[in-house]
Amino acid sequence: MEVRGKMIIKVRVIPTAGENEVVSRIGSVLRVKVKTKSIEDEANNIIQYFLAEFFGVENNYINIVKGAKGKEKTVEIRGKSEEHLKKVMDAIP
């Protein structure tokens, strides 16, 4: 049985015409390019699905807890062990 943990991260949204991607990480802050013009509802949905795929968790395990209407968002990630989530974060340049 896998132990489920959680991680709180900050996400800095960069609207772009390109693809969705994690650009860089500074501590627990991810800079994420999102293919959208809006930083609100559409971007929030894209971020939720993108981060779920990126961290290997179900969509409902990604929760934007703060900053839903801004470029700076606080995101809670659950569904995997804390060790797994830290490994994914540590692999980001």
Side-chain angles (χ1 to χ4, degrees), residues 25-67:
R25 174 181 68 99
I26 301 170
S28 66
V29 180
L30 288 184
R31 293 180 64 229
V32 179
K33 284 187 178 178
V34 177
K35 187 176 181 175
T36 183
K37 292 179 184 174
S38 164
I39 58 166
E40 292 185 26
D41 295 334
E42 183 181 5
N44 290 340
N45 289 336
I46 293 170
I47 288 167
Q48 183 178 7
Y49 288 104
F50 176 71
L51 290 178
E53 183 179 322
F54 187 80
F55 283 95
V57 299
E58 298 291 325
N59 295 334
N60 59 335
Y61 289 137
I62 303 292
N63 185 29
I64 297 173
V65 293
K66 188 175 178 184

Side-chain angles (χ1 to χ4, degrees), residues 45-92:
N45 289 336
I46 293 170
I47 288 167
Q48 183 178 7
Y49 288 104
F50 176 71
L51 290 178
E53 183 179 322
F54 187 80
F55 283 95
V57 299
E58 298 291 325
N59 295 334
N60 59 335
Y61 289 137
I62 303 292
N63 185 29
I64 297 173
V65 293
K66 188 175 178 184
K69 295 184 178 186
K71 289 184 178 184
E72 302 275 344
K73 301 179 186 304
T74 302
V75 178
E76 178 187 58
I77 304 166
R78 297 177 290 117
K80 294 282 184 175
S81 69
E82 192 172 341
E83 181 179 315
H84 170 84
L85 297 173
K86 284 181 180 179
K87 281 183 184 177
V88 174
M89 283 292 286
D90 289 344
I92 302 166

